[in-house]
Amino acid sequence: VQLQASGGGLVQAGGSLRLSCAASVRTFSDYVMGWFRQAPGKEREFVAAINRLGVTTYDADTVKGRFTISRDNAKNMVSLQMNSLKPEDTAVYYCAARRYGRLSTATAEDYYDTWGQGTQVTVSS
């Protein structure tokens, strides 16, 4: 599987962005999909994940009701809607995939076996 993330950019604090990740795979619905982010000088951290049925999990401290992950299995796409953005949300955002995974362990980096190239999100104050 190959993943292509897009939708990043520069936005003012309080604004919104929608990230998308297109997967080139025949059986996209088999995959748990996740979003991670990495800020300069920091480790990559979990943001959100979604399983094949659309059940979601979020990092509560990161998201706090501002971000929403969704998927469209017909389009092989997973999205991350980000609202009320803050300067501390500035990071490179990565999508990741794992086939036949369990959502309960989807917060760890090593859970995933395929990563996209990342898309830069910059939030100005």
Side-chain angles (χ1 to χ4, degrees):
V1 59
Q2 291 185 324
L3 303 176
Q4 181 71 39
S6 61
L10 174 64
V11 63
Q12 289 188 333
S16 298
L17 279 176
R18 185 176 182 86
L19 306 183
S20 296
C21 177
S24 58
V25 64
R26 293 178 63 183
T27 54
F28 178 71
S29 61
D30 288 346
Y31 288 80
V32 172
M33 301 298 297
W35 284 98
F36 285 73
R37 70 184 186 183
Q38 187 167 22
K42 295 187 177 181
E43 294 184 351
R44 189 154 55 183
E45 63 179 4
F46 171 76
V47 175
I50 186 168
N51 72 2
R52 59 190 299 269
L53 300 177
V55 180
T56 60
T57 186
Y58 297 91
D59 179 87
D61 291 340
T62 301
V63 174
K64 294 181 180 177
R66 300 183 296 124
F67 294 3
T68 302
I69 188 172
S70 61
R71 68 188 296 157
D72 186 335
N73 287 338
K75 296 182 179 179
N76 285 16
M77 188 83 69
V78 62
S79 298
L80 185 70
Q81 178 66 42
M82 305 186 296
N83 299 327
S84 301
L85 284 162
K86 306 174 182 179
E88 50 264 43
D89 293 319
T90 295
V92 178
Y93 283 72
Y94 298 89
C95 60
R98 176 183 170 133
R99 196 176 187 188
Y100 299 137
R102 296 172 63 92
L103 198 62
S104 58
T105 53
T107 62
E109 278 191 66
D110 58 7
Y111 171 87
Y112 297 89
D113 42 40
T114 302
W115 291 81
Q117 85 289 2
T119 184
Q120 176 71 47
V121 171
T122 302
V123 184
S124 63
S125 58

